[in-house]
Structure formats: C-alpha cells, structure tokens
Amino acid sequence: MLVMQQTEENTKVLRLLRIVFDLQLQPWELGKFRGAISDKVGLEHDWYHNHQVDGGVLHRYPLIQYKLHRQQPMLLYLGSGVEEAKHFFDKPDWTLRIGNQVHDMRIQNMELEQHRLMTLEDKATYRLHNWIALNPQNFERYQETESLGQRILLLEHILKGHLWGFCEGVDWQPEVDIEVSILNVFSDKYVSYRGVKVLSFKLDFKCNLSLPDFVALGKGTTVGFGVLRRQ
C-alpha cells in the first residue's frame, strides 16, 4: 500500500485532459500530427509547438504533449495547458492535413482527471518507454563507462533531473529529495529524433513521487518519447 507523507505542502492537484482521436497513425507520423495541430490553432499559441516567433526554441517542460495510444493519436494537456485546448476544439472545422492525407478528426475518448501529486513513503513502480536520456556529453560518459552498475547510477542521476524538470514545469516543489532506483533495463535501442539517431531506453524504476500516467520525461516529450506508465 502506498502511503503519502502527511504534509499539505507536499501535495498539488494537477489537472490532465487526455483526448484520443479515432484515427490510426504510425509512430513516424506523430511529428506531422503535431505540426498539423499547431497550424490549425495558429502559431501564436506557442504551447502547441514550443517555438518562438523568431524561430528559437522555448526551453520549458511542455504542457501539451502528442502521443500514440494503441496507434491512435492522443493529445495530453497538463495543468494550465488544459485551458489551451479551446484553441483547437472551438474551431468549427477539425480537418487536419497529416502528410499527404486529409483527415476529419473525431474524438474517440476524452478524459479529464485530477491527479494528486505527492511524495510517498513507499515508492511506486513505473515503466518508462523510449526514454531519450543522454545529451551528447552524457552519451560520451555512458559509452566510456564499462561497469553496468556505474551506467545505472548515471541513468538514475539523469532520471532524477528529468523528474525535477517535470515538477518545476507543473509548478510543484516537493519538499523532500526525489529518490530513484532503476529496477530493470529491458532494452536500449537507437531511434530517430530530429533526424539524428539517438539512444533510448525502456526500463522500470521506483520513485517516491506519485505521478500520472502518460506524462513524458527526457528529450522528445512532445512527440511520444519517454512516456511513463505506473505498474
């Protein structure tokens, strides 16, 4: 049984809106889906694409994320990002051009949830899919490290930083240190991200935070990488 530490400052209610569309997409089409949604709502709504008007990138945790759920495109809105949903769903026309195809988007499932973020005395177990953990410097350190134990320690340190980034992004400050233990690394494989082959991981870990399903960590959080599910 999971027990939260009983302090009011340790909790935050986070709103999440998950919308799954009645459409089949392949993983490599997710970026095109993101681009089509961004074009539809208008580039002035930068939470949909995280780019500045001058072309620069906004370095922040994304409150709108694009994912595939059973090969169907899903929009995940977090916290204040939920208010941004109206910029698409208030449109009288929901057609999107994704690649060479035009689709009349229909909602298959919509869920509005309130998740209580809190620290736990007993750690929860999560599975992380296609987690892009390593920047170029850490990739070099990882490759130079021969010991499996030392590699795990490096990944735990990086994962802890990504969890802090999520907490800051949703405006929550846990009052205790984040504790992370990687239990198993099922696979490491190279995936294409922004046209470059990068190493990704599928793993299980324990953590002293209660986290909602489908939030993403690491690089590529907006386009289906690093998706977290509670075990």
Side-chain angles (χ1 to χ4, degrees), residues 4-231:
M4 72 175 182
Q5 297 177 346
Q6 300 293 330
T7 58
E8 191 66 28
E9 295 80 3
N10 230 16
T11 68
K12 175 185 174 66
V13 174
L14 178 68
R15 289 193 303 160
L16 301 101
L17 176 61
R18 290 189 288 264
I19 300 171
V20 179
F21 293 95
D22 186 13
L23 176 68
Q24 296 285 308
L25 287 183
Q26 297 299 319
W28 58 85
E29 296 179 293
L30 199 53
K32 296 177 181 178
F33 171 65
R34 181 194 184 201
I37 291 280
S38 299
D39 288 342
K40 176 67 72 172
V41 300
L43 296 181
E44 67 272 19
H45 301 296
D46 53 46
W47 278 110
Y48 279 88
H49 52 81
N50 284 309
H51 286 84
Q52 297 172 320
V53 176
D54 62 5
V57 177
L58 293 165
H59 296 285
R60 60 191 182 186
Y61 185 80
L63 299 183
I64 301 175
Q65 300 176 11
Y66 304 79
K67 307 174 190 296
L68 285 184
H69 180 55
R70 298 172 182 168
Q71 290 193 301
Q72 294 176 286
M74 179 173 76
L75 278 171
L76 174 65
Y77 297 86
L78 303 169
S80 59
V82 172
E83 304 303 324
E84 298 290 315
K86 63 186 178 184
H87 298 307
F88 178 77
F89 293 99
D90 282 352
K91 298 285 185 185
D93 172 21
W94 290 4
T95 57
L96 294 180
R97 177 175 289 277
I98 302 173
N100 295 323
Q101 300 291 322
V102 176
H103 302 277
D104 185 11
M105 305 300 289
R106 293 181 173 87
I107 294 173
Q108 176 169 300
N109 188 46
M110 180 188 304
E111 292 180 286
L112 180 62
E113 174 192 348
Q114 294 192 87
H115 181 91
R116 184 169 293 277
L117 298 168
M118 56 188 169
T119 56
L120 305 168
E121 291 181 358
D122 296 327
K123 293 178 182 176
T125 301
Y126 301 94
R127 181 161 294 174
L128 199 50
H129 297 266
N130 284 335
W131 177 45
I132 303 177
L134 305 171
N135 60 24
Q137 294 77 20
N138 283 330
F139 177 76
E140 187 174 333
R141 288 177 60 194
Y142 185 84
Q143 292 293 86
E144 292 173 351
T145 302
E146 296 183 357
S147 163
L148 177 60
Q150 290 299 314
R151 283 187 168 190
I152 294 296
L153 286 175
L154 174 60
L155 291 177
E156 287 178 345
H157 175 74
I158 294 168
L159 179 53
K160 182 176 176 179
H162 289 175
L163 288 165
W164 276 116
F166 162 77
C167 293
E168 292 172 0
V170 298
D171 196 26
W172 178 47
Q173 182 67 42
E175 65 177 15
V176 299
D177 192 29
I178 296 176
E179 299 173 5
V180 173
S181 302
I182 292 177
L183 305 176
N184 196 0
V185 179
F186 296 100
S187 66
D188 55 351
K189 65 179 182 180
Y190 285 89
V191 296
S192 179
Y193 175 62
R194 294 183 176 175
V196 178
K197 293 293 184 182
V198 294
L199 189 61
S200 73
F201 300 88
K202 177 183 177 182
L203 56 81
D204 282 353
F205 70 96
K206 280 192 171 184
C207 178
N208 62 336
L209 302 181
S210 175
L211 301 168
D213 283 343
F214 297 110
V215 298
L217 304 173
K219 291 286 187 182
T221 50
T222 58
V223 286
F225 293 102
V227 176
L228 179 147
R229 294 293 299 271
R230 189 159 172 168
Q231 297 297 100

